[in-house]
PDB file of all heavy atoms in Angstrom:
ATOM      1  N   ASP Q 101      -6.675 -16.034  -4.552  1.00 95.00           N
ATOM      2  CA  ASP Q 101      -8.052 -16.162  -4.327  1.00 95.00           C
ATOM      3  C   ASP Q 101      -8.949 -15.410  -5.331  1.00 95.00           C
ATOM      4  O   ASP Q 101     -10.268 -15.286  -5.332  1.00 95.00           O
ATOM      5  CB  ASP Q 101      -8.495 -15.650  -2.918  1.00 95.00           C
ATOM      6  CG  ASP Q 101      -8.106 -14.184  -2.673  1.00 95.00           C
ATOM      7  OD1 ASP Q 101      -7.563 -13.548  -3.658  1.00 95.00           O
ATOM      8  OD2 ASP Q 101      -8.331 -13.641  -1.616  1.00 95.00           O
ATOM      9  N   GLY Q 102      -8.234 -14.810  -6.431  1.00 96.00           N
ATOM     10  CA  GLY Q 102      -8.891 -14.021  -7.421  1.00 96.00           C
ATOM     11  C   GLY Q 102      -9.476 -12.739  -7.044  1.00 96.00           C
ATOM     12  O   GLY Q 102     -10.222 -12.032  -7.758  1.00 96.00           O
ATOM     13  N   SER Q 103      -9.045 -12.148  -5.877  1.00 96.00           N
ATOM     14  CA  SER Q 103      -9.575 -10.919  -5.347  1.00 96.00           C
ATOM     15  C   SER Q 103      -8.903  -9.703  -6.106  1.00 96.00           C
ATOM     16  O   SER Q 103      -9.389  -8.560  -5.967  1.00 96.00           O
ATOM     17  CB  SER Q 103      -9.299 -10.752  -3.929  1.00 96.00           C
ATOM     18  OG  SER Q 103      -7.956 -10.946  -3.533  1.00 96.00           O
ATOM     19  N   ALA Q 104      -7.909  -9.874  -6.857  1.00 94.00           N
ATOM     20  CA  ALA Q 104      -7.273  -8.881  -7.651  1.00 94.00           C
ATOM     21  C   ALA Q 104      -6.564  -9.459  -8.884  1.00 94.00           C
ATOM     22  O   ALA Q 104      -5.979 -10.580  -8.675  1.00 94.00           O
ATOM     23  CB  ALA Q 104      -6.222  -8.050  -6.867  1.00 94.00           C
ATOM     24  N   GLY Q 105      -6.744  -8.912 -10.066  1.00 96.00           N
ATOM     25  CA  GLY Q 105      -6.099  -9.452 -11.222  1.00 96.00           C
ATOM     26  C   GLY Q 105      -6.622 -10.833 -11.581  1.00 96.00           C
ATOM     27  O   GLY Q 105      -7.756 -11.110 -11.327  1.00 96.00           O
ATOM     28  N   THR Q 106      -5.745 -11.629 -12.145  1.00 97.00           N
ATOM     29  CA  THR Q 106      -6.117 -13.029 -12.548  1.00 97.00           C
ATOM     30  C   THR Q 106      -6.194 -13.941 -11.315  1.00 97.00           C
ATOM     31  O   THR Q 106      -5.229 -13.867 -10.534  1.00 97.00           O
ATOM     32  CB  THR Q 106      -5.083 -13.538 -13.586  1.00 97.00           C
ATOM     33  OG1 THR Q 106      -4.997 -12.599 -14.739  1.00 97.00           O
ATOM     34  CG2 THR Q 106      -5.416 -14.944 -14.065  1.00 97.00           C
ATOM     35  N   LYS Q 107      -7.110 -14.798 -11.293  1.00 98.00           N
ATOM     36  CA  LYS Q 107      -7.124 -15.803 -10.283  1.00 98.00           C
ATOM     37  C   LYS Q 107      -6.168 -16.903 -10.565  1.00 98.00           C
ATOM     38  O   LYS Q 107      -6.169 -17.462 -11.675  1.00 98.00           O
ATOM     39  CB  LYS Q 107      -8.525 -16.360 -10.075  1.00 98.00           C
ATOM     40  CG  LYS Q 107      -8.641 -17.471  -8.960  1.00 98.00           C
ATOM     41  CD  LYS Q 107     -10.021 -17.944  -8.733  1.00 98.00           C
ATOM     42  CE  LYS Q 107     -10.017 -18.925  -7.574  1.00 98.00           C
ATOM     43  NZ  LYS Q 107     -11.346 -19.426  -7.307  1.00 98.00           N
ATOM     44  N   GLY Q 108      -5.211 -17.188  -9.618  1.00 97.00           N
ATOM     45  CA  GLY Q 108      -4.253 -18.201  -9.868  1.00 97.00           C
ATOM     46  C   GLY Q 108      -2.817 -17.674  -9.704  1.00 97.00           C
ATOM     47  O   GLY Q 108      -2.576 -16.792  -8.843  1.00 97.00           O
ATOM     48  N   ASN Q 109      -1.880 -18.153 -10.486  1.00 97.00           N
ATOM     49  CA  ASN Q 109      -0.476 -17.824 -10.296  1.00 97.00           C
ATOM     50  C   ASN Q 109       0.048 -16.986 -11.479  1.00 97.00           C
ATOM     51  O   ASN Q 109      -0.761 -16.537 -12.320  1.00 97.00           O
ATOM     52  CB  ASN Q 109       0.391 -19.047 -10.113  1.00 97.00           C
ATOM     53  CG  ASN Q 109       0.221 -20.071 -11.279  1.00 97.00           C
ATOM     54  OD1 ASN Q 109       0.097 -19.682 -12.396  1.00 97.00           O
ATOM     55  ND2 ASN Q 109       0.287 -21.331 -11.002  1.00 97.00           N
ATOM     56  N   VAL Q 110       1.333 -16.666 -11.511  1.00 98.00           N
ATOM     57  CA  VAL Q 110       1.917 -15.837 -12.513  1.00 98.00           C
ATOM     58  C   VAL Q 110       1.719 -16.377 -13.940  1.00 98.00           C
ATOM     59  O   VAL Q 110       1.422 -15.641 -14.975  1.00 98.00           O
ATOM     60  CB  VAL Q 110       3.368 -15.565 -12.250  1.00 98.00           C
ATOM     61  CG1 VAL Q 110       3.554 -14.705 -11.035  1.00 98.00           C
ATOM     62  CG2 VAL Q 110       4.202 -16.772 -12.129  1.00 98.00           C
ATOM     63  N   LEU Q 111       1.780 -17.766 -14.030  1.00 98.00           N
ATOM     64  CA  LEU Q 111       1.634 -18.279 -15.399  1.00 98.00           C
ATOM     65  C   LEU Q 111       0.151 -18.259 -15.813  1.00 98.00           C
ATOM     66  O   LEU Q 111      -0.202 -18.226 -17.018  1.00 98.00           O
ATOM     67  CB  LEU Q 111       2.117 -19.791 -15.415  1.00 98.00           C
ATOM     68  CG  LEU Q 111       3.692 -19.821 -15.277  1.00 98.00           C
ATOM     69  CD1 LEU Q 111       4.190 -21.218 -15.274  1.00 98.00           C
ATOM     70  CD2 LEU Q 111       4.345 -19.105 -16.466  1.00 98.00           C
ATOM     71  N   ASP Q 112      -0.794 -18.293 -14.899  1.00 98.00           N
ATOM     72  CA  ASP Q 112      -2.194 -18.165 -15.182  1.00 98.00           C
ATOM     73  C   ASP Q 112      -2.373 -16.723 -15.704  1.00 98.00           C
ATOM     74  O   ASP Q 112      -3.192 -16.543 -16.692  1.00 98.00           O
ATOM     75  CB  ASP Q 112      -3.064 -18.407 -13.932  1.00 98.00           C
ATOM     76  CG  ASP Q 112      -3.071 -19.778 -13.531  1.00 98.00           C
ATOM     77  OD1 ASP Q 112      -3.065 -20.715 -14.409  1.00 98.00           O
ATOM     78  OD2 ASP Q 112      -3.030 -20.040 -12.312  1.00 98.00           O
ATOM     79  N   ALA Q 113      -1.774 -15.688 -15.170  1.00 98.00           N
ATOM     80  CA  ALA Q 113      -1.864 -14.356 -15.638  1.00 98.00           C
ATOM     81  C   ALA Q 113      -1.214 -14.190 -17.080  1.00 98.00           C
ATOM     82  O   ALA Q 113      -1.769 -13.414 -17.841  1.00 98.00           O
ATOM     83  CB  ALA Q 113      -1.110 -13.446 -14.585  1.00 98.00           C
ATOM     84  N   VAL Q 114      -0.189 -14.873 -17.314  1.00 98.00           N
ATOM     85  CA  VAL Q 114       0.428 -14.878 -18.714  1.00 98.00           C
ATOM     86  C   VAL Q 114      -0.656 -15.425 -19.696  1.00 98.00           C
ATOM     87  O   VAL Q 114      -0.898 -14.827 -20.698  1.00 98.00           O
ATOM     88  CB  VAL Q 114       1.668 -15.713 -18.684  1.00 98.00           C
ATOM     89  CG1 VAL Q 114       2.146 -15.946 -20.129  1.00 98.00           C
ATOM     90  CG2 VAL Q 114       2.802 -15.068 -17.940  1.00 98.00           C
ATOM     91  N   ALA Q 115      -1.161 -16.516 -19.377  1.00 98.00           N
ATOM     92  CA  ALA Q 115      -2.208 -17.134 -20.225  1.00 98.00           C
ATOM     93  C   ALA Q 115      -3.456 -16.291 -20.340  1.00 98.00           C
ATOM     94  O   ALA Q 115      -3.976 -16.058 -21.560  1.00 98.00           O
ATOM     95  CB  ALA Q 115      -2.595 -18.589 -19.761  1.00 98.00           C
ATOM     96  N   ALA Q 116      -3.936 -15.771 -19.266  1.00 98.00           N
ATOM     97  CA  ALA Q 116      -5.218 -14.976 -19.344  1.00 98.00           C
ATOM     98  C   ALA Q 116      -5.080 -13.654 -20.143  1.00 98.00           C
ATOM     99  O   ALA Q 116      -6.049 -13.183 -20.697  1.00 98.00           O
ATOM    100  CB  ALA Q 116      -5.655 -14.673 -17.838  1.00 98.00           C
ATOM    101  N   ASN Q 117      -3.801 -13.167 -20.203  1.00 98.00           N
ATOM    102  CA  ASN Q 117      -3.599 -11.877 -20.779  1.00 98.00           C
ATOM    103  C   ASN Q 117      -2.974 -12.032 -22.243  1.00 98.00           C
ATOM    104  O   ASN Q 117      -2.694 -11.097 -22.889  1.00 98.00           O
ATOM    105  CB  ASN Q 117      -2.751 -10.964 -19.961  1.00 98.00           C
ATOM    106  CG  ASN Q 117      -3.469 -10.408 -18.711  1.00 98.00           C
ATOM    107  OD1 ASN Q 117      -4.257  -9.535 -18.825  1.00 98.00           O
ATOM    108  ND2 ASN Q 117      -3.219 -11.145 -17.599  1.00 98.00           N
ATOM    109  N   GLY Q 118      -2.845 -13.286 -22.598  1.00 98.00           N
ATOM    110  CA  GLY Q 118      -2.239 -13.632 -23.904  1.00 98.00           C
ATOM    111  C   GLY Q 118      -0.831 -12.984 -24.184  1.00 98.00           C
ATOM    112  O   GLY Q 118      -0.456 -12.536 -25.211  1.00 98.00           O
ATOM    113  N   LEU Q 119       0.002 -13.222 -23.122  1.00 98.00           N
ATOM    114  CA  LEU Q 119       1.356 -12.613 -23.212  1.00 98.00           C
ATOM    115  C   LEU Q 119       2.331 -13.502 -23.663  1.00 98.00           C
ATOM    116  O   LEU Q 119       2.260 -14.797 -23.589  1.00 98.00           O
ATOM    117  CB  LEU Q 119       1.765 -12.186 -21.770  1.00 98.00           C
ATOM    118  CG  LEU Q 119       0.808 -11.234 -20.954  1.00 98.00           C
ATOM    119  CD1 LEU Q 119       1.304 -11.018 -19.562  1.00 98.00           C
ATOM    120  CD2 LEU Q 119       0.577  -9.923 -21.646  1.00 98.00           C
ATOM    121  N   ASP Q 120       3.478 -12.933 -24.212  1.00 97.00           N
ATOM    122  CA  ASP Q 120       4.571 -13.708 -24.714  1.00 97.00           C
ATOM    123  C   ASP Q 120       5.815 -12.938 -24.483  1.00 97.00           C
ATOM    124  O   ASP Q 120       5.753 -11.809 -24.294  1.00 97.00           O
ATOM    125  CB  ASP Q 120       4.478 -14.144 -26.142  1.00 97.00           C
ATOM    126  CG  ASP Q 120       4.451 -12.980 -27.072  1.00 97.00           C
ATOM    127  OD1 ASP Q 120       5.592 -12.491 -27.471  1.00 97.00           O
ATOM    128  OD2 ASP Q 120       3.389 -12.422 -27.445  1.00 97.00           O
ATOM    129  N   ALA Q 121       6.969 -13.631 -24.469  1.00 98.00           N
ATOM    130  CA  ALA Q 121       8.166 -12.977 -24.183  1.00 98.00           C
ATOM    131  C   ALA Q 121       9.412 -13.711 -24.860  1.00 98.00           C
ATOM    132  O   ALA Q 121       9.277 -14.899 -25.142  1.00 98.00           O
ATOM    133  CB  ALA Q 121       8.494 -12.755 -22.739  1.00 98.00           C
ATOM    134  N   ASP Q 122      10.504 -12.992 -24.952  1.00 98.00           N
ATOM    135  CA  ASP Q 122      11.791 -13.672 -25.463  1.00 98.00           C
ATOM    136  C   ASP Q 122      12.673 -14.099 -24.318  1.00 98.00           C
ATOM    137  O   ASP Q 122      13.618 -14.944 -24.615  1.00 98.00           O
ATOM    138  CB  ASP Q 122      12.559 -12.582 -26.230  1.00 98.00           C
ATOM    139  CG  ASP Q 122      11.787 -11.983 -27.413  1.00 98.00           C
ATOM    140  OD1 ASP Q 122      11.165 -12.752 -28.120  1.00 98.00           O
ATOM    141  OD2 ASP Q 122      11.877 -10.774 -27.439  1.00 98.00           O
ATOM    142  N   MET Q 123      12.386 -13.728 -23.084  1.00 98.00           N
ATOM    143  CA  MET Q 123      13.247 -14.017 -21.974  1.00 98.00           C
ATOM    144  C   MET Q 123      12.448 -13.830 -20.646  1.00 98.00           C
ATOM    145  O   MET Q 123      11.503 -13.049 -20.611  1.00 98.00           O
ATOM    146  CB  MET Q 123      14.461 -13.076 -21.986  1.00 98.00           C
ATOM    147  CG  MET Q 123      15.411 -13.295 -20.778  1.00 98.00           C
ATOM    148  SD  MET Q 123      16.856 -12.173 -20.954  1.00 98.00           S
ATOM    149  CE  MET Q 123      17.674 -12.967 -22.368  1.00 98.00           C
ATOM    150  N   ILE Q 124      12.892 -14.575 -19.647  1.00 98.00           N
ATOM    151  CA  ILE Q 124      12.275 -14.434 -18.302  1.00 98.00           C
ATOM    152  C   ILE Q 124      13.267 -14.199 -17.281  1.00 98.00           C
ATOM    153  O   ILE Q 124      14.392 -14.770 -17.142  1.00 98.00           O
ATOM    154  CB  ILE Q 124      11.507 -15.806 -17.959  1.00 98.00           C
ATOM    155  CG1 ILE Q 124      10.403 -16.113 -18.984  1.00 98.00           C
ATOM    156  CG2 ILE Q 124      10.893 -15.728 -16.582  1.00 98.00           C
ATOM    157  CD1 ILE Q 124       9.766 -17.506 -18.806  1.00 98.00           C
ATOM    158  N   PHE Q 125      12.909 -13.307 -16.297  1.00 98.00           N
ATOM    159  CA  PHE Q 125      13.617 -13.088 -15.131  1.00 98.00           C
ATOM    160  C   PHE Q 125      12.575 -13.361 -13.934  1.00 98.00           C
ATOM    161  O   PHE Q 125      11.582 -12.900 -14.003  1.00 98.00           O
ATOM    162  CB  PHE Q 125      14.175 -11.654 -14.921  1.00 98.00           C
ATOM    163  CG  PHE Q 125      15.168 -11.306 -16.013  1.00 98.00           C
ATOM    164  CD1 PHE Q 125      14.992 -10.214 -16.719  1.00 98.00           C
ATOM    165  CD2 PHE Q 125      16.373 -12.001 -16.105  1.00 98.00           C
ATOM    166  CE1 PHE Q 125      15.928  -9.756 -17.651  1.00 98.00           C
ATOM    167  CE2 PHE Q 125      17.285 -11.630 -17.067  1.00 98.00           C
ATOM    168  CZ  PHE Q 125      17.110 -10.516 -17.841  1.00 98.00           C
ATOM    169  N   ALA Q 126      12.996 -14.203 -12.995  1.00 97.00           N
ATOM    170  CA  ALA Q 126      12.004 -14.632 -12.020  1.00 97.00           C
ATOM    171  C   ALA Q 126      12.509 -14.812 -10.577  1.00 97.00           C
ATOM    172  O   ALA Q 126      13.747 -15.209 -10.451  1.00 97.00           O
ATOM    173  CB  ALA Q 126      11.310 -15.938 -12.406  1.00 97.00           C
ATOM    174  N   CYS Q 127      11.729 -14.560  -9.540  1.00 96.00           N
ATOM    175  CA  CYS Q 127      12.188 -14.782  -8.177  1.00 96.00           C
ATOM    176  C   CYS Q 127      10.884 -15.088  -7.457  1.00 96.00           C
ATOM    177  O   CYS Q 127       9.824 -14.401  -7.593  1.00 96.00           O
ATOM    178  CB  CYS Q 127      12.807 -13.571  -7.616  1.00 96.00           C
ATOM    179  SG  CYS Q 127      13.415 -13.777  -5.850  1.00 96.00           S
ATOM    180  N   GLY Q 128      10.907 -16.172  -6.664  1.00 95.00           N
ATOM    181  CA  GLY Q 128       9.688 -16.496  -5.893  1.00 95.00           C
ATOM    182  C   GLY Q 128       9.942 -17.850  -5.242  1.00 95.00           C
ATOM    183  O   GLY Q 128      11.060 -18.454  -5.233  1.00 95.00           O
ATOM    184  N   PRO Q 129       8.847 -18.487  -4.687  1.00 93.00           N
ATOM    185  CA  PRO Q 129       8.961 -19.769  -4.049  1.00 93.00           C
ATOM    186  C   PRO Q 129       9.208 -20.874  -5.102  1.00 93.00           C
ATOM    187  O   PRO Q 129       9.004 -20.687  -6.228  1.00 93.00           O
ATOM    188  CB  PRO Q 129       7.523 -19.948  -3.441  1.00 93.00           C
ATOM    189  CG  PRO Q 129       6.656 -19.044  -4.259  1.00 93.00           C
ATOM    190  CD  PRO Q 129       7.491 -17.909  -4.631  1.00 93.00           C
ATOM    191  N   MET Q 130       9.807 -22.002  -4.462  1.00 92.00           N
ATOM    192  CA  MET Q 130      10.332 -23.019  -5.456  1.00 92.00           C
ATOM    193  C   MET Q 130       9.275 -23.615  -6.323  1.00 92.00           C
ATOM    194  O   MET Q 130       9.584 -23.852  -7.535  1.00 92.00           O
ATOM    195  CB  MET Q 130      10.887 -24.150  -4.584  1.00 92.00           C
ATOM    196  CG  MET Q 130      11.700 -25.129  -5.369  1.00 92.00           C
ATOM    197  SD  MET Q 130      13.122 -24.330  -6.315  1.00 92.00           S
ATOM    198  CE  MET Q 130      14.302 -24.119  -4.987  1.00 92.00           C
ATOM    199  N   PRO Q 131       7.981 -23.845  -5.903  1.00 94.00           N
ATOM    200  CA  PRO Q 131       6.984 -24.395  -6.748  1.00 94.00           C
ATOM    201  C   PRO Q 131       6.814 -23.443  -8.047  1.00 94.00           C
ATOM    202  O   PRO Q 131       6.700 -23.971  -9.209  1.00 94.00           O
ATOM    203  CB  PRO Q 131       5.717 -24.513  -6.025  1.00 94.00           C
ATOM    204  CG  PRO Q 131       6.274 -24.619  -4.532  1.00 94.00           C
ATOM    205  CD  PRO Q 131       7.484 -23.854  -4.487  1.00 94.00           C
ATOM    206  N   MET Q 132       6.831 -22.162  -7.769  1.00 96.00           N
ATOM    207  CA  MET Q 132       6.680 -21.174  -8.927  1.00 96.00           C
ATOM    208  C   MET Q 132       7.896 -21.317  -9.866  1.00 96.00           C
ATOM    209  O   MET Q 132       7.677 -21.243 -11.070  1.00 96.00           O
ATOM    210  CB  MET Q 132       6.583 -19.796  -8.389  1.00 96.00           C
ATOM    211  CG  MET Q 132       6.627 -18.699  -9.409  1.00 96.00           C
ATOM    212  SD  MET Q 132       6.849 -16.972  -8.669  1.00 96.00           S
ATOM    213  CE  MET Q 132       7.977 -16.323  -9.922  1.00 96.00           C
ATOM    214  N   LEU Q 133       9.052 -21.310  -9.289  1.00 96.00           N
ATOM    215  CA  LEU Q 133      10.314 -21.372 -10.141  1.00 96.00           C
ATOM    216  C   LEU Q 133      10.354 -22.611 -10.971  1.00 96.00           C
ATOM    217  O   LEU Q 133      10.769 -22.702 -12.071  1.00 96.00           O
ATOM    218  CB  LEU Q 133      11.565 -21.177  -9.280  1.00 96.00           C
ATOM    219  CG  LEU Q 133      11.652 -19.841  -8.536  1.00 96.00           C
ATOM    220  CD1 LEU Q 133      12.934 -19.778  -7.780  1.00 96.00           C
ATOM    221  CD2 LEU Q 133      11.628 -18.697  -9.520  1.00 96.00           C
ATOM    222  N   ARG Q 134       9.886 -23.719 -10.416  1.00 95.00           N
ATOM    223  CA  ARG Q 134       9.896 -25.063 -11.189  1.00 95.00           C
ATOM    224  C   ARG Q 134       8.863 -24.982 -12.327  1.00 95.00           C
ATOM    225  O   ARG Q 134       9.163 -25.340 -13.485  1.00 95.00           O
ATOM    226  CB  ARG Q 134       9.366 -26.208 -10.334  1.00 95.00           C
ATOM    227  CG  ARG Q 134      10.433 -26.569  -9.229  1.00 95.00           C
ATOM    228  CD  ARG Q 134      10.051 -27.868  -8.548  1.00 95.00           C
ATOM    229  NE  ARG Q 134      10.963 -28.216  -7.459  1.00 95.00           N
ATOM    230  CZ  ARG Q 134      10.732 -28.169  -6.162  1.00 95.00           C
ATOM    231  NH1 ARG Q 134       9.598 -27.771  -5.732  1.00 95.00           N
ATOM    232  NH2 ARG Q 134      11.619 -28.468  -5.295  1.00 95.00           N
ATOM    233  N   ALA Q 135       7.732 -24.266 -12.082  1.00 97.00           N
ATOM    234  CA  ALA Q 135       6.806 -23.996 -13.200  1.00 97.00           C
ATOM    235  C   ALA Q 135       7.360 -23.105 -14.202  1.00 97.00           C
ATOM    236  O   ALA Q 135       7.144 -23.332 -15.433  1.00 97.00           O
ATOM    237  CB  ALA Q 135       5.474 -23.483 -12.608  1.00 97.00           C
ATOM    238  N   VAL Q 136       8.031 -22.055 -13.760  1.00 97.00           N
ATOM    239  CA  VAL Q 136       8.750 -21.158 -14.755  1.00 97.00           C
ATOM    240  C   VAL Q 136       9.697 -21.893 -15.603  1.00 97.00           C
ATOM    241  O   VAL Q 136       9.727 -21.611 -16.841  1.00 97.00           O
ATOM    242  CB  VAL Q 136       9.260 -19.909 -13.924  1.00 97.00           C
ATOM    243  CG1 VAL Q 136      10.159 -19.110 -14.918  1.00 97.00           C
ATOM    244  CG2 VAL Q 136       8.171 -19.053 -13.355  1.00 97.00           C
ATOM    245  N   LYS Q 137      10.455 -22.674 -15.047  1.00 96.00           N
ATOM    246  CA  LYS Q 137      11.459 -23.436 -15.743  1.00 96.00           C
ATOM    247  C   LYS Q 137      10.891 -24.310 -16.868  1.00 96.00           C
ATOM    248  O   LYS Q 137      11.278 -24.363 -17.983  1.00 96.00           O
ATOM    249  CB  LYS Q 137      12.367 -24.273 -14.793  1.00 96.00           C
ATOM    250  CG  LYS Q 137      13.359 -25.167 -15.530  1.00 96.00           C
ATOM    251  CD  LYS Q 137      14.263 -25.933 -14.532  1.00 96.00           C
ATOM    252  CE  LYS Q 137      15.289 -26.787 -15.310  1.00 96.00           C
ATOM    253  NZ  LYS Q 137      16.142 -27.535 -14.339  1.00 96.00           N
ATOM    254  N   ARG Q 138       9.764 -25.036 -16.431  1.00 97.00           N
ATOM    255  CA  ARG Q 138       9.009 -25.849 -17.414  1.00 97.00           C
ATOM    256  C   ARG Q 138       8.486 -24.991 -18.524  1.00 97.00           C
ATOM    257  O   ARG Q 138       8.601 -25.346 -19.671  1.00 97.00           O
ATOM    258  CB  ARG Q 138       7.922 -26.579 -16.673  1.00 97.00           C
ATOM    259  CG  ARG Q 138       8.363 -27.698 -15.792  1.00 97.00           C
ATOM    260  CD  ARG Q 138       7.273 -28.688 -15.443  1.00 97.00           C
ATOM    261  NE  ARG Q 138       6.185 -27.913 -14.660  1.00 97.00           N
ATOM    262  CZ  ARG Q 138       6.126 -27.917 -13.341  1.00 97.00           C
ATOM    263  NH1 ARG Q 138       7.106 -28.418 -12.590  1.00 97.00           N
ATOM    264  NH2 ARG Q 138       5.208 -27.174 -12.748  1.00 97.00           N
ATOM    265  N   TYR Q 139       7.820 -23.875 -18.188  1.00 98.00           N
ATOM    266  CA  TYR Q 139       7.382 -22.977 -19.224  1.00 98.00           C
ATOM    267  C   TYR Q 139       8.415 -22.550 -20.106  1.00 98.00           C
ATOM    268  O   TYR Q 139       8.199 -22.556 -21.380  1.00 98.00           O
ATOM    269  CB  TYR Q 139       6.606 -21.788 -18.583  1.00 98.00           C
ATOM    270  CG  TYR Q 139       6.155 -20.759 -19.474  1.00 98.00           C
ATOM    271  CD1 TYR Q 139       4.819 -20.838 -20.036  1.00 98.00           C
ATOM    272  CD2 TYR Q 139       6.937 -19.623 -19.777  1.00 98.00           C
ATOM    273  CE1 TYR Q 139       4.373 -19.923 -20.910  1.00 98.00           C
ATOM    274  CE2 TYR Q 139       6.486 -18.607 -20.733  1.00 98.00           C
ATOM    275  CZ  TYR Q 139       5.205 -18.802 -21.220  1.00 98.00           C
ATOM    276  OH  TYR Q 139       4.691 -17.835 -22.087  1.00 98.00           O
ATOM    277  N   ALA Q 140       9.542 -22.177 -19.676  1.00 97.00           N
ATOM    278  CA  ALA Q 140      10.639 -21.642 -20.508  1.00 97.00           C
ATOM    279  C   ALA Q 140      11.138 -22.828 -21.374  1.00 97.00           C
ATOM    280  O   ALA Q 140      11.502 -22.488 -22.600  1.00 97.00           O
ATOM    281  CB  ALA Q 140      11.809 -21.099 -19.592  1.00 97.00           C
ATOM    282  N   GLN Q 141      11.215 -23.904 -20.898  1.00 97.00           N
ATOM    283  CA  GLN Q 141      11.616 -25.057 -21.764  1.00 97.00           C
ATOM    284  C   GLN Q 141      10.642 -25.318 -22.894  1.00 97.00           C
ATOM    285  O   GLN Q 141      11.050 -25.591 -24.043  1.00 97.00           O
ATOM    286  CB  GLN Q 141      11.817 -26.279 -20.885  1.00 97.00           C
ATOM    287  CG  GLN Q 141      13.006 -26.255 -20.002  1.00 97.00           C
ATOM    288  CD  GLN Q 141      13.152 -27.397 -18.991  1.00 97.00           C
ATOM    289  OE1 GLN Q 141      12.142 -27.999 -18.640  1.00 97.00           O
ATOM    290  NE2 GLN Q 141      14.356 -27.825 -18.662  1.00 97.00           N
ATOM    291  N   GLU Q 142       9.339 -25.243 -22.551  1.00 97.00           N
ATOM    292  CA  GLU Q 142       8.303 -25.504 -23.577  1.00 97.00           C
ATOM    293  C   GLU Q 142       8.349 -24.355 -24.637  1.00 97.00           C
ATOM    294  O   GLU Q 142       8.173 -24.631 -25.857  1.00 97.00           O
ATOM    295  CB  GLU Q 142       6.925 -25.474 -22.883  1.00 97.00           C
ATOM    296  CG  GLU Q 142       6.644 -26.676 -21.993  1.00 97.00           C
ATOM    297  CD  GLU Q 142       5.418 -26.496 -21.141  1.00 97.00           C
ATOM    298  OE1 GLU Q 142       4.712 -25.403 -21.276  1.00 97.00           O
ATOM    299  OE2 GLU Q 142       5.160 -27.389 -20.278  1.00 97.00           O
ATOM    300  N   LYS Q 143       8.623 -23.133 -24.291  1.00 97.00           N
ATOM    301  CA  LYS Q 143       8.669 -22.050 -25.161  1.00 97.00           C
ATOM    302  C   LYS Q 143      10.034 -21.871 -25.775  1.00 97.00           C
ATOM    303  O   LYS Q 143      10.251 -21.029 -26.674  1.00 97.00           O
ATOM    304  CB  LYS Q 143       8.245 -20.675 -24.437  1.00 97.00           C
ATOM    305  CG  LYS Q 143       6.869 -20.748 -23.855  1.00 97.00           C
ATOM    306  CD  LYS Q 143       5.784 -20.861 -25.000  1.00 97.00           C
ATOM    307  CE  LYS Q 143       4.428 -20.827 -24.371  1.00 97.00           C
ATOM    308  NZ  LYS Q 143       3.392 -20.909 -25.511  1.00 97.00           N
TER     309      LYS Q 143
END
């Protein structure tokens, strides 16, 4: 709901803060993990 930090999900926070990484460790609901997998493949 945007009441703290970036409004949206973890990948929205990555984009909003201009972050990058060499590797990802993740745990969460399946829709989030699917999105993380796609992001890792793109990067």
Side-chain angles (χ1 to χ4, degrees):
D101 63 0
S103 56
T106 302
K107 183 175 182 179
N109 57 35
V110 292
L111 292 177
D112 292 320
V114 167
N117 290 282
L119 306 178
D120 64 85
D122 305 312
M123 177 178 290
I124 301 172
F125 297 124
C127 183
M130 193 60 76
M132 172 192 142
L133 296 181
R134 290 191 184 108
V136 168
K137 178 177 179 177
R138 288 194 298 271
Y139 175 86
Q141 289 174 328
E142 290 168 3
K143 299 295 183 180

